[in-house]
Amino acid sequence: REWPTRVIQRFQTIIQKRIIANALVPNRTFQLPLVLRLLLRIPGLRNLPARIIAFGVKRVRVEN
């Protein structure tokens, strides 16, 4: 369970540093990076980041 947790946390850290931090800089116009703008336009990929954060990168099985 450690590996999927590290992957999700790293993903969140990258988003925080590269996108959210730039959006919060005062007196600067913010524009999403090209990759994210394209990602938002493709319906099949639009929900992918949220699904990765919500469900993780590895399916977890509950053992009896």
Side-chain angles (χ1 to χ4, degrees):
R1 290 175 26 186
E2 181 180 344
W3 177 80
T5 303
R6 286 181 182 242
V7 170
I8 296 300
Q9 288 176 346
R10 182 68 181 149
F11 177 72
Q12 290 172 329
T13 301
I14 290 169
I15 297 298
Q16 174 69 33
K17 288 182 178 178
R18 295 194 178 166
I19 297 171
I20 297 174
N22 287 334
L24 297 176
V25 173
N27 301 326
R28 191 164 137 195
T29 304
F30 174 73
Q31 186 175 11
L32 278 175
L34 179 61
V35 174
L36 287 179
R37 287 185 300 208
L38 293 174
L39 184 76
L40 291 174
R41 291 179 189 257
I42 302 171
L45 297 177
R46 185 178 307 151
N47 298 332
L48 189 61
R51 289 182 65 86
I52 290 172
I53 291 173
F55 298 117
V57 292
K58 181 180 175 186
R59 182 173 283 190
V60 177
R61 302 278 184 184
V62 177
E63 295 181 18
N64 292 336

